[in-house]
Amino acid sequence: CPRAFHPKTPGLPPGSKTGSTPLWAMIVGGPSRSHRYHPQDWHALAQNMTALSQAHGIQWLLTTSRRTPKAIETQLRETLDPKALYYGIWWNQRPEKKMAALLGAAEKAFVTQDSVTMVTEAIGSGTPTIALIPSAVRFPRDSFLPNYLERLQHRGYLGRASIERRDQWVAATPPTPPQESPAQDMASRLISRLGWTSPSARAQNPQ
């Protein structure tokens, strides 16, 4: 059953539609050390959002982030059909910390794969989450991210799709709600990589 927007959703203003339209969330990051975006990636993102809105009768809850360049926001605003957008947060114009509210109102969440923090937060919200992969991805040899993302995907917590392949977006919807916190799992992996000992392990094995 789709979780349609309700005007009393904390953190979001009431709208003219009161629960009649299912909503999907789009969480947009930006270029990173491992993820490089080309203009066609953002063009495809906006066009695919518009097409899916028309095909599935949904509207989008969108937020960009601190790492989203202003030029990318401008391109998205110019390319995305305004009718497809229910609520938009453009960080360079007016930053609003309402990601939790967007995720709570959404039936699905799509997140650009460049930010492991945003991906993890979306999964942790319990909303089915799909990571969108740009055309140019190259992980550093020592990066833990490929294994981490593959592990989430293998467990059914995360779907992954090409940012350009609209047909993959819906097909990649993960079937399994997380049974454990992805953030906790990531923290454990970081502790292990750094050679540290977790507080729980220290309590069980005092020196």
Side-chain angles (χ1 to χ4, degrees):
C1 177
R3 294 191 293 173
F5 174 81
H6 190 280
K8 293 183 180 180
T9 299
L12 292 183
S16 58
K17 298 181 181 180
T18 56
S20 60
T21 303
L23 300 175
W24 294 356
M26 177 61 70
I27 315 297
V28 178
S32 70
R33 181 180 165 193
S34 56
H35 290 65
R36 304 295 175 89
Y37 291 88
H38 300 296
Q40 64 264 28
D41 290 320
W42 301 115
H43 185 77
L45 180 74
Q47 284 204 323
N48 289 342
M49 289 175 67
T50 296
L52 289 172
S53 173
Q54 295 169 350
H56 294 271
I58 60 96
Q59 285 185 298
W60 291 93
L61 299 166
L62 178 148
T63 181
T64 59
S65 67
R66 290 184 181 89
R67 72 192 309 165
T68 310
K70 187 175 181 179
I72 290 174
E73 286 191 356
T74 299
Q75 183 180 357
L76 291 175
R77 290 174 73 103
E78 291 176 350
T79 310
L80 179 63
D81 183 350
K83 296 182 203 174
L85 188 63
Y86 186 85
Y87 189 76
I89 297 172
W90 305 99
W91 200 264
N92 284 285
Q93 282 197 348
R94 185 182 176 185
E96 298 179 75
K97 295 181 179 180
K98 294 182 178 178
M99 184 168 165
L102 268 60
L103 291 170
E107 175 187 346
K108 301 176 189 288
F110 295 82
V111 188
T112 57
Q113 187 182 262
D114 53 89
S115 173
V116 68
T117 302
M118 295 193 304
V119 170
T120 301
E121 184 174 349
I123 296 172
S125 74
T127 303
T129 300
I130 300 91
L132 298 177
I133 307 169
S135 54
V137 177
R138 185 175 182 179
F139 291 106
R141 184 174 298 180
D142 60 347
S143 175
F144 74 98
L145 293 182
N147 191 20
Y148 177 66
L149 294 168
E150 289 168 9
R151 186 174 177 178
L152 290 174
Q153 186 176 14
H154 179 72
R155 292 185 178 183
Y157 300 163
L158 176 69
R160 299 170 77 190
S162 165
I163 203 169
E164 296 180 312
R165 292 285 305 276
R166 182 170 65 244
D167 58 312
Q168 294 181 1
W169 286 28
V170 177
T173 301
T176 310
Q179 301 300 313
E180 60 184 9
S181 167
Q184 185 176 13
D185 178 66
M186 182 171 67
S188 298
R189 292 172 61 77
L190 283 170
I191 288 170
S192 175
R193 282 172 56 85
L194 293 170
W196 296 348
T197 303
S198 69
S200 60
R202 288 197 299 269
Q204 294 173 6
N205 301 285
Q207 298 298 321

